[in-house]
C-alpha cells in the first residue's frame, strides 16, 4: 500500500486559516465527510474521542489525528497545512502540519501500518521543512508522494 | 651513520609537517589529502636524493597499491551493516554501473579535447571514474557537514565500493592497448570471463578471508595488542592471493573488512583504533609518494586540457550519471541528488591508476599521469572547498545541534560492542527533567568544574556537567541519545513511541481506537495500572508489548508511569534498539484467553 492509494490530491489543503484545534478538526471532518459520504459530526466526535486519550500533536509542529469509523468503506487520508494553532501538542508548540487518517472499523492491524507510515514521513525534519516551504497543493502533494518510501 | 640519519630526518620531517598541516587545513577547509599531495610535490621537486627512490614508478605503484588495499579494508571495517542495508542498492549501483557510465560519458569528451584514440580516451576516463573514499569520508565527517544518514551512507558506501570497478576498467583497457600494440586483434568477449572472475573470485576470497580472520581472532589467544597486526598480516596475504587467483584483491579486502567490522570479534576496539592509525599513515604515505612522483614543471603543458576535462566531469558527467541512476530510487529528493553529484571527489585511486600506464610503459603514459594529477587536484580543491556552502545552499545539511556524541569503543571480556559515550549536559538536555534516571542510563563518571565524580556522589545532574555513560551494546545508544542529546533531537527511531497516551486510558479504549484484540480480563484496566503492575521497578524506556503495538514508559513518578507513549510500529524497535519488554499477549496465552471482537 502506498500513500497515493489513500491520499488523493483533492484531500490536500494548503494554507488554511484556523484559530483552534477544534476548528482544524472541524475543517478536516467536513472535507472527509464530502469525500467519504459519512456524517461530518460522526467523524468529528470520533476524532475528539481519540484526542481525549492523549493528544495526536506529536511535537515539532506536527499532528496526526486518527480514528476508526464504522461504515467507512476504505482507508481515508487528508493533509492540511494551516496557520499555526495550539493543538495541545506534547512539546507545547503550535502545530501547522496535519495528517488526518480515518480507517474502517474492520481494517484491523492494516491501518497501523498506514499510521506508522504517515508518522514516519512527518518525523523527518527535512520533509517537514520542505512541506512548510510549499505554497501550492501540487507542491505539497508532490513532496508527500516523494517521501513515501518503502525502505524506511 | 649519516646515510641512515639524513633519510630518517627528512622522512620524519615530511610526516610531522603533514600532520601539522591538518591543523591549518581543517580550519581553512582544504581537504587534508590535498595538503599531503602538495607536501609530496614539494618534497619531490627538491631533487633530494633520498626521495628519488620513491620516484621510481614501480615503487610508487607498489606503495600506493598496498596503502589503498589497507584503506579499503578499513573503510569496510568502519561501515555499519545497518547503514549498509539501508542504502546498499543505490550505492552499489552507483559504485558499479555508475563508474562504467562515468567512464563511457567522459571518454568522448577526452577524445575531443585531447584528440587521442578511442581506446586511450576510455583508458583515461576509467582512471578517474571512481570517487575517493578517503576524501569523501574525511570531508563529510570533519567539515561540520551533518547530512541525513541516508545521503551520507550513500556517499560513503559508494566511494568505498567503487574503486574495484575503476581498477578493473583501467586494467582491462591497458590490456586492450597492449593487445593492439602487439598487433593482435582486440576481442571484447575475452573480458567478460575476466570481469566475472575479478568480481566473483574477489567476493568469494573476501568472504573466505573474513571467515578465516574471525576464526583465528576468536580461537587464538594473544596479547590484545597483537591482534591488529595479525589482522593486518592476514589482510595482506588475502590481497595478494586473491589477485594471484584472478580476483580483485581490493574487492576482497573491502568485503572482508565490512563483514569483520560488523562481527562480534575479540579486540574489536583495539583493531579499530589501530586501523584508524594505519589508514591515516597509508593515506599520508600514498599521497606523498604520488605527489613526489609528479614533476610540477611538466604540468603547465597540460593544465588547460585537464581543467576542461575536470570541469566536464564535475558539472556534466557525474550529475547525469547520478540523476539517471538514482531516478530508479524514489527516496532521494532532487536536492539530495544534486548534492550527491557534487560530492564526487577524485583522489588517490585515480592517481594510482594513472601510474599504471607508466609502469606498463604505454606511450604517452607520463602526460596521462600529469593530466589525471591536475584533475584530481582540481576536484579536491574545488569540491572540497565548496562542500559546506553547497550543502547549505541545497538545504541537505542538518542543524549542527544534531552532532553525534563522542564514542569510545572499549574491549571488555564477554561484551563485544560496549562503549563509553561522552555527553555535555545543557539546560535543554532532556535528562534534567527526569525525576529518576534509569539504571541503564546512569553516568559512570561525571565531570563537574574540572573534577571527576563517581555517579553515586552526585545527587542531581545540572547544566554544564560532562558525563560518561557506559553502553553495554550498540542497541542501547538510541535510548541514551534521546536522554542525553539535545531537546531538539528528533526521535527518528521512535524510542518514545509515536503518540502520547494517557495512563488513565483503558485497554478497551485502545481496542476501540486501534482495533486490537484485548483479553477480557484486561479490558477495563487502566494502561498505567497494568504497566505499574508488570514493572515493579519501572524505568523510562520500559515497554509493554501488545504484539501489534507497544506501550512505552516516557516518564515515571513514584513507580507510576505518568507519561506513556504508544508505538504503532514495534518492528522498527526490533531492528534498531533494545530495551526491557514484557509481553502480555503471547500466542500461547491467546488460546487460553477469551477475546472480544467488536
Amino acid at each position: 500500500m502506498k500513500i497515493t492509494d489513500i491520499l488523493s490530491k483533492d484531500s490536500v489543503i494548503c494554507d488554511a486559516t484556523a484559530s483552534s484545534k477544534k476548528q482544524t478538526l472541524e475543517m478536516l471532518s467536513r472535507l472527509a465527510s464530502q469525500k467519504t459520504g459519512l456524517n461530518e459530526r460522526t467523524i468529528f466526535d470520533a476524532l475528539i474521542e481519540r484526542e481525549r486519550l492523549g493528544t495526536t500533536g506529536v511535537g515539532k509542529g506536527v499532528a496526526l489525528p486518527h480514528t476508526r469509523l464504522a461504515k467507512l468503506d476504505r482507508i481515508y487520508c487528508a493533509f492540511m497545512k494551516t496557520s499555526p494553532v495550539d493543538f495541545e501538542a506534547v512539546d507545547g508548540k503550535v502545530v501547522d502540519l496535519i495528517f488526518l487518517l480515518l480507517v474502517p472499523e474492520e481494517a484491523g492491524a492494516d491501518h497501523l501500518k498506514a499510521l506508522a507510515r504517515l508518522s514516519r514521513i512527518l518525523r523527518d525534519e527535512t520533509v517537514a521543512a520542505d512541506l512548510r516551504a510549499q505554497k501550492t497543493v501540487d507542491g505539497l502533494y508532490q513532496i508527500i508522494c516523494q517521501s513515501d518510501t518503502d525502505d524506511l | 651513520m649519516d646515510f641512515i640519519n639524513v633519510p630518517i630526518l627528512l622522512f620524519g620531517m615530511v610526516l610531522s609537517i603533514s600532520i601539522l598541516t591538518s591543523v591549518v587545513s581543517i580550519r581553512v577547509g582544504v581537504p587534508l589529502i590535498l595538503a599531503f599531495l602538495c607536501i609530496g610535490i614539494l618534497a619531490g621537486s627538491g631533487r633530494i636524493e633520498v626521495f628519488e627512490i620513491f620516484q621510481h614508478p614501480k615503487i610508487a605503484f607498489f606503495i600506493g597499491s598496498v596503502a589503498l588495499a589497507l584503506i579499503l579494508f578499513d573503510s569496510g571495517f568502519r561501515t555499519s551493516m545497518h547503514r549498509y542495508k539501508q542504502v546498499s542498492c543505490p550505492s552499489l549501483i552507483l559504485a558499479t554501473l555508475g563508474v562504467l557510465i562515468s567512464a563511457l560519458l567522459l571518454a568522448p569528451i577526452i577524445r575531443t579535447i585531447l584528440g587521442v584514440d578511442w581506446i586511450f580516451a576510455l583508458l583515461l576516463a576509467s582512471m578517474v571514474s571512481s570517487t575517493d573514499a578517503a576524501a569523501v569520508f574525511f570531508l563529510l565527517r570533519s567539515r561540520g557537514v551533518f547530512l541525513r544518514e541516508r545521503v551520507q551512507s550513500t556517499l560513503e558506501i559508494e566511494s568505498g565500493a567503487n574503486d574495484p570497478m575503476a581498477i578493473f576498467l583501467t586494467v582491462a583497457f591497458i590490456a586492450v592497448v597492449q593487445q593492439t600494440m602487439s598487433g593482435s586483434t582486440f576481442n571484447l568477449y575475452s573480458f567478460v570471463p575476466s570481469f566475472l572472475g575479478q568480481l566473483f573470485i574477489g567476493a568469494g576470497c573476501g568472504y573466505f578471508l573474513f571467515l578465516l580472520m574471525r576464526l583465528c581472532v576468536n580461537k587464538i589467544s594473544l596479547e590484545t595488542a597483537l591482534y591488529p597486526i595479525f589482522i593486518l598480516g592476514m589482510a595482506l596475504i588475502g590481497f595478494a592471493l586473491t589477485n594471484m587467483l584472478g580476483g580483485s584483491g581490493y574487492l576482497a579486502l573491502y568485503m572482508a573488512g565490512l563483514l569483520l567490522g560488523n562481527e562480534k570479534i575479540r579486540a574489536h576496539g583495539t583493531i579499530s583504533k589501530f586501523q584508524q592509525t594505519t589508514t591515516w599513515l597509508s593515506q599520508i604515505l600514498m599521497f606523498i609518494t604520488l605527489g613526489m612522483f609528479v614533476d610540477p614543471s611538466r604540468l603547465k603543458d597540460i593544465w588547460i586540457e585537464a581543467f576542461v576535462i575536470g570541469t566536464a566531469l564535475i558539472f556534466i558527467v557525474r550529475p547525469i550519471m547520478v540523476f539517471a541512476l538514482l531516478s530508479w530510487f524514489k527516496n532521494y529528493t532532487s536536492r539530495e541528488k544534486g548534492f550527491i553529484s557534487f560530492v564526487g571527489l577524485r583522489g588517490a585511486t585515480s592517481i594510482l591508476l594513472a601510474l599504471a600506464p607508466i609502469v606498463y610503459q604505454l606511450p604517452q603514459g607520463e602526460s596521462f599521469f600529469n593530466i589525471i594529477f591536475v584533475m584530481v587536484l582540481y576536484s579536491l580543491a574545488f569540491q572540497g572547498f565548496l562542500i559546506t556552502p553547497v550543502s547549505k545552499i541545497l538545504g541537505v545539511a542538518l542543524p549542527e545541534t544534531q552532532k553525534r556524541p563522542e564514542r569510545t569503543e572499549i574491549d571488555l571480556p564477554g561484551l563485544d560492542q560496549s562503549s563509553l559515550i561522552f555527553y555535555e549536559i545543557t539546560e535543554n538536555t532532556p535528562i534534567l527533567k527526569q525525576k529518576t534516571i534509569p539504571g541503564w542510563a546512569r553516568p559512570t563518571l561525571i565531570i563537574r568544574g574540572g573534577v571527576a565524580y563517581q555517579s553515586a556522589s552526585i545527587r542531581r545532574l545540572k547544566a554544564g556537567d560532562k558525563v560518561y555513560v557506559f553502553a553495554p551494546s550498540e542497541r542501547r545508544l538510541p535510548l541514551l541519545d534521546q536522554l542525553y542529546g539535545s531537546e531538539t533531537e528528533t526521535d527518528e527511531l521512535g524510542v518514545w513511541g509515536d503518540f502520547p497516551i494517557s495512563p488513565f486510558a483503558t485497554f478497551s479504549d485502545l481496542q476501540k481506537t486501534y482495533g486490537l484484540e484485548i483479553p477480557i480480563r484486561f479490558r477495563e484496566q487502566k494502561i498505567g495500572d497494568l504497566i505499574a503492575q508488570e514493572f515493579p521497578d519501572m524505568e523510562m524506556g520500559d515497554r509493554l508489548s501488545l504484539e501489534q503495538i507497544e506501550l512505552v514508559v516516557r516518564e515515571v513518578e513514584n513507580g507510576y508511569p505518568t507519561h506513556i507513549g504508544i508505538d504503532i510500529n514495534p518492528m522498527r524497535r526490533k531492528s534498531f534498539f533494545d530495551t526491557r519488554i514484557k509481553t502480555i499477549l503471547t500466542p500461547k496465552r491467546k488460546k487460553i484467553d477469551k477475546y472480544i471482537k467488536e
Side-chain angles (χ1 to χ4, degrees):
Chain A
M1 185 186 57
K2 301 217 154 289
I3 295 283
T4 40
D5 299 339
I6 55 172
L7 176 70
S8 61
K9 208 185 270 181
D10 55 9
S11 289
V12 176
I13 304 178
C14 187
D15 294 322
T17 323
S19 57
S20 66
K21 175 174 182 173
K22 186 162 159 282
Q23 204 186 347
T24 57
L25 293 179
E26 274 168 1
M27 288 164 78
L28 286 166
S29 304
R30 195 173 316 130
L31 176 68
S33 158
Q34 285 161 10
K35 302 288 174 221
T36 62
L38 259 61
N39 183 291
E40 185 184 329
R41 193 75 215 171
T42 318
I43 301 173
F44 180 75
D45 288 345
L47 289 173
I48 292 291
E49 177 89 349
R50 168 64 187 84
E51 294 299 315
R52 200 178 49 79
L53 299 179
T55 178
T56 55
V58 292
K60 293 183 194 288
V62 172
L64 293 147
H66 56 275
T67 190
R68 290 201 310 154
L69 290 166
K71 291 192 196 127
L72 190 64
D73 56 354
R74 64 195 163 95
I75 298 184
Y76 173 80
C77 177
F79 176 78
M80 173 158 94
K81 182 156 92 84
T82 164
S83 58
V85 292
D86 178 6
F87 214 89
E88 295 154 19
V90 273
D91 57 358
K93 296 199 176 109
V94 285
V95 160
D96 59 352
L97 299 176
I98 306 174
F99 257 128
L100 171 80
L101 186 74
L102 303 178
V103 285
E105 207 159 64
E106 60 279 0
D110 224 26
H111 79 285
L112 287 171
K113 280 189 206 135
L115 191 56
R117 190 77 69 80
L118 297 182
S119 158
R120 179 79 218 190
I121 289 179
L122 289 186
R123 210 186 270 280
D124 189 325
E125 282 182 60
T126 23
V127 174
D130 282 349
L131 288 172
R132 289 197 173 96
Q134 292 302 318
K135 298 266 181 285
T136 62
V137 167
D138 288 317
L140 290 173
Y141 192 69
Q142 200 194 342
I143 304 262
I144 294 169
C145 298
Q146 259 179 19
S147 3
D148 178 28
T149 53
D150 291 327
D151 67 325
L152 290 177
Chain B
M1 286 293 275
D2 267 3
F3 78 97
I4 318 185
N5 291 333
V6 174
I8 292 179
L9 175 75
L10 288 170
F11 191 67
M13 272 166 66
V14 168
L15 273 188
S16 326
I17 293 170
S18 309
I19 303 302
L20 289 178
T21 334
S22 71
V23 182
V24 184
S25 87
I26 286 176
R27 201 159 296 167
V28 183
V30 190
L32 194 51
I33 50 180
L34 185 59
F36 295 160
L37 266 180
C38 296
I39 292 175
I41 299 176
L42 286 178
S45 59
R47 307 242 171 264
I48 300 164
E49 202 184 331
V50 184
F51 291 147
E52 263 163 25
I53 183 168
F54 292 105
Q55 282 157 322
H56 192 282
K58 280 194 177 153
I59 288 174
F61 196 63
F62 169 76
I63 293 177
S65 304
V66 174
L68 182 63
L70 294 180
I71 292 170
L72 285 178
F73 179 67
D74 185 48
S75 87
F77 197 85
R78 242 159 254 293
T79 307
S80 95
M81 201 54 112
H82 111 244
R83 297 175 73 177
Y84 202 88
K85 281 185 187 143
Q86 240 183 352
V87 295
S88 58
C89 207
S91 308
L92 292 183
I93 285 186
L94 285 178
T96 50
L97 205 52
V99 171
L100 183 64
I101 293 178
S102 299
L104 293 179
L105 286 177
L106 193 62
I109 301 175
I110 293 179
R111 186 169 177 266
T112 319
I113 292 169
L114 296 180
V116 291
D117 283 348
W118 270 113
I119 188 63
F120 283 103
L122 282 164
L123 173 59
L124 261 172
S126 33
M127 290 172 188
V128 283
S129 57
S130 74
T131 60
D132 188 74
V136 171
F137 273 54
F138 177 76
L139 279 174
L140 292 182
R141 291 190 179 163
S142 67
R143 291 299 317 280
V145 186
F146 295 95
L147 299 171
R148 276 215 285 167
E149 187 168 299
R150 190 153 39 78
V151 177
Q152 173 143 2
S153 310
T154 307
L155 282 167
E156 289 189 355
I157 293 171
E158 184 210 359
S159 64
N162 63 11
D163 291 336
M165 183 73 184
I167 294 167
F168 172 75
L169 286 179
T170 310
V171 171
F173 286 123
I174 286 178
V176 178
V177 173
Q178 284 177 324
Q179 273 182 10
T180 42
M181 271 167 44
S182 67
S184 59
T185 46
F186 154 63
N187 179 6
L188 182 74
Y189 296 107
S190 64
F191 284 109
V192 178
S194 144
F195 176 71
L196 294 179
Q198 294 271 331
L199 191 72
F200 288 108
I201 298 175
C205 288
Y207 186 68
F208 185 70
L209 183 63
F210 151 68
L211 292 180
L212 202 66
M213 282 173 165
R214 185 179 63 177
L215 183 78
C216 291
V217 169
N218 284 345
K219 290 278 183 271
I220 304 173
S221 278
L222 293 172
E223 170 83 21
T224 318
L226 295 180
Y227 286 109
I229 307 177
F230 188 53
I231 292 283
L232 177 76
M234 289 181 80
L236 292 176
I237 295 173
F239 177 70
L241 284 183
T242 310
N243 284 336
M244 286 177 197
L245 288 173
S248 160
Y250 297 102
L251 179 65
L253 281 201
Y254 180 73
M255 242 188 91
L258 178 69
L259 294 167
L260 195 71
N262 283 283
E263 192 72 13
K264 293 187 170 180
I265 49 163
R266 234 190 270 184
H268 190 286
T270 315
I271 295 172
S272 167
K273 252 179 248 152
F274 174 82
Q275 286 188 175
Q276 212 172 347
T277 312
T278 336
T279 299
W280 273 116
L281 191 63
S282 306
Q283 275 174 30
I284 296 174
L285 285 181
M286 172 157 66
F287 281 100
I288 290 180
T289 311
L290 295 174
M292 282 184 194
F293 198 78
V294 82
D295 180 357
S297 62
R298 306 283 295 274
L299 295 182
K300 65 177 188 299
D301 303 334
I302 47 82
W303 76 268
I304 297 179
E305 286 90 341
F307 184 75
V308 175
I309 301 172
T311 308
L313 178 62
I314 294 172
F315 291 103
I316 303 171
V317 173
R318 181 156 168 97
I320 292 179
M321 184 277 278
V322 169
F323 275 84
L325 292 182
L326 288 186
S327 65
W328 293 342
F329 303 94
K330 283 188 299 165
N331 46 348
Y332 294 90
T333 65
S334 4
R335 287 191 264 159
E336 286 170 345
K337 283 182 233 167
F339 187 72
I340 292 173
S341 315
F342 192 78
V343 188
L345 290 99
R346 312 289 137 161
T349 319
S350 301
I351 305 183
L352 182 66
L353 288 176
L355 273 177
I358 303 180
V359 175
Y360 290 103
Q361 293 172 330
L362 302 188
Q364 289 182 293
E366 208 161 317
S367 85
F368 286 172
F369 178 83
N370 290 340
I371 291 175
I372 301 280
F373 194 86
V374 174
M375 281 176 69
V376 170
L377 282 188
Y378 171 43
S379 158
L380 285 176
F382 179 73
Q383 290 170 312
F385 255 121
L386 291 181
I387 190 166
T388 315
V390 167
S391 72
K392 293 213 171 101
I393 292 166
L394 289 175
V396 292
L398 293 176
E400 292 197 13
T401 46
Q402 301 204 352
K403 279 180 207 172
R404 286 172 197 98
E406 207 177 295
R407 272 182 64 196
T408 317
E409 262 186 81
I410 40 182
D411 289 325
L412 291 177
L415 290 170
D416 295 300
Q417 292 178 315
S418 52
S419 55
L420 268 183
I421 312 140
F422 173 77
Y423 294 101
E424 277 182 280
I425 310 280
T426 66
E427 278 165 24
N428 294 325
T429 308
I431 193 105
L432 293 183
K433 297 200 193 90
Q434 298 302 324
K435 296 224 161 46
T436 48
I437 300 178
W440 48 264
R442 236 160 257 154
T444 310
L445 197 66
I446 300 161
I447 298 166
R448 177 178 290 177
V451 185
Y453 297 92
Q454 281 189 322
S455 175
S457 55
I458 298 259
R459 187 164 290 185
R460 285 197 66 88
L461 291 171
K462 62 181 188 193
D465 287 350
K466 297 178 177 67
V467 298
Y468 279 96
V469 186
F470 173 72
S473 89
E474 280 190 339
R475 292 170 68 88
R476 277 289 188 196
L477 298 176
L479 279 81
L480 290 171
D481 284 349
Q482 281 297 316
L483 278 180
Y484 285 99
S486 72
E487 193 188 23
T488 51
E489 182 120 357
T490 317
D491 183 7
E492 272 214 35
L493 300 176
V495 166
W496 304 123
D498 297 274
F499 301 103
I501 191 144
S502 154
F504 309 117
T506 63
F507 281 93
S508 69
D509 288 331
L510 282 186
Q511 182 179 1
K512 233 166 43 196
T513 333
Y514 293 105
L516 305 168
E517 297 179 354
I518 304 284
I520 195 163
R521 65 197 160 94
F522 295 133
R523 225 176 30 151
E524 289 318 314
Q525 203 162 6
K526 294 191 179 81
I527 58 173
D529 292 355
L530 184 65
I531 294 176
Q533 187 186 317
E534 290 286 322
F535 294 99
D537 54 341
M538 189 188 329
E539 288 174 343
M540 50 191 307
D542 287 347
R543 283 172 173 242
L544 191 68
S545 170
L546 310 170
E547 286 177 15
Q548 288 158 347
I549 63 157
E550 287 179 359
L551 299 171
V552 194
V553 177
R554 289 186 176 183
E555 270 181 58
V556 187
E557 215 173 314
N558 301 324
Y560 195 82
T562 49
H563 288 78
I564 297 171
I566 171 164
D567 188 340
I568 51 179
N569 186 11
M571 283 313 292
R572 198 169 45 197
R573 189 253 315 145
K574 284 178 191 150
S575 48
F576 290 113
F577 58 90
D578 282 330
T579 185
R580 194 163 58 157
I581 296 146
K582 288 200 176 160
T583 306
I584 61 161
L585 297 180
T586 61
K588 212 171 159 191
R589 275 179 168 172
K590 248 183 196 168
K591 286 179 196 140
I592 307 162
D593 281 317
K594 196 179 156 198
Y595 283 83
I596 303 180
K597 250 189 142 177
E598 283 176 316

